[in-house]
Every structure is written in C-alpha cells, then in structure tokens.
Amino acid sequence: MHTLISACVDLVTVNGRPYSVLNDSGFKKIINPILDGLDKKVARQYVHEESLAIQKEIRTEAFTKAKLISLKLDAVTKLNRSFLGINIQYIVGDYIKLRTLALIELTQSHTGFYLKEIILNVLKKYNIEHDQIYTITSDNGAKL
C-alpha cells in the first residue's frame, strides 16, 4: 500500500497531475482492485506529512549545519499569472545542497516592499536568520 500511495503522491507532486486523476476511468481500470481500498484523503494527508518532514529537514540543515546560505530568487509571469521561486543553497559535508523553499503566486504589484515581505516570511518559516544569508542571486528581472 505504501508503494501505491507513494506513486499517487508522485502523480500529483512530481508529475503535476490534479488529485482528480485518482478518479479517472483509465487509472481506475489499471489499479481498481487496489484503488478501491485507497482513500484520496489518505493520499492528500500523506503529501502533507511528507511536506512537513521535508520542511523540518531543511530547517535542521539550514539552521544547524550550514551557517552561510545563498538565496536564489526567480520570478516568472505567464498568462497573467506571476510566481516567485525561492531557493537556497548551502554546504553539508562535502556537498552543495539546493532546496526549494517556496513557489508563491504573486497577487499584488511586484514592488520591492511586497517582494521583501514574501521573502522574509518564507525565511522566517524555515528559521533562517538574516545574518546567515551570504549571497542573493536573482534572474536579473526588472523587479528582482
């Protein structure tokens, strides 16, 4: 059952399918005997629990193991929708880790104040202090 739930999570997170894919007739025909025992709420809860575990891991690594963090920002506007991606890079042992902290839809004008508030709120969520940020890299867009 864990493998099935993990595959369903991949469908909606990695492959970008909506939760409704679990109701598609073709999907049901393939795994109907197993799917009958799967509750969509269980899959949704599993996604939530996995996200919390990943957030905790990032908090631990970024706060205790990596004193210096490189912040990477990228904004995109497509079909009248704007998004801001917030990533961090830091060193753990001999490896550079790249972690995505947030992909946020921007709902207001992209002023410096608005973007700063979003970025600071995300950093606060991960317990990242201002003095840990060593560099900030953006996509060189007009507003970043």
Side-chain angles (χ1 to χ4, degrees):
M1 186 59 104
H2 178 59
T3 302
L4 177 60
I5 291 173
S6 181
C8 290
V9 168
D10 279 359
L11 280 172
V12 297
T13 59
V14 176
N15 304 126
R17 303 297 186 264
Y19 284 107
S20 62
V21 75
L22 300 175
N23 291 327
D24 288 352
S25 62
F27 185 73
K28 283 188 173 186
K29 286 178 184 177
I30 294 169
I31 61 164
N32 201 27
I34 299 169
L35 190 60
D36 287 341
L38 177 65
D39 184 357
K40 283 190 298 188
K41 291 178 185 174
V42 171
R44 195 177 297 250
Q45 180 64 28
Y46 186 78
V47 170
H48 181 70
E49 289 171 5
E50 284 294 308
S51 72
L52 293 177
I54 292 168
Q55 288 175 21
K56 182 178 179 183
E57 181 181 341
I58 293 171
R59 275 189 212 98
T60 301
E61 287 178 349
F63 190 70
T64 59
K65 295 181 183 176
K67 295 299 179 196
L68 297 178
I69 291 172
S70 293
L71 186 64
K72 299 176 75 179
L73 308 170
D74 194 6
V76 63
T77 300
K78 190 85 170 179
L79 301 173
N80 295 322
R81 293 179 73 188
S82 297
F83 297 90
L84 175 64
I86 303 174
N87 300 295
I88 58 172
Q89 282 184 321
Y90 52 91
I91 296 174
V92 175
D94 295 332
Y95 300 96
I96 295 175
K97 286 231 177 175
L98 172 63
R99 297 291 201 147
T100 299
L101 300 184
L103 180 62
I104 299 172
E105 185 168 8
L106 303 174
T107 58
Q108 298 177 22
S109 179
H110 305 172
T111 64
F113 180 78
Y114 175 60
L115 295 174
K116 179 182 102 173
E117 289 301 311
I118 288 175
I119 294 165
L120 291 177
N121 285 338
V122 170
L123 293 177
K124 184 179 180 180
K125 179 179 178 180
Y126 287 92
N127 299 329
I128 296 172
E129 301 292 332
H130 299 113
D131 60 353
Q132 286 182 266
I133 299 173
Y134 183 66
T135 63
I136 300 175
T137 305
S138 72
D139 68 348
N140 206 22
K143 296 290 184 180
L144 286 181

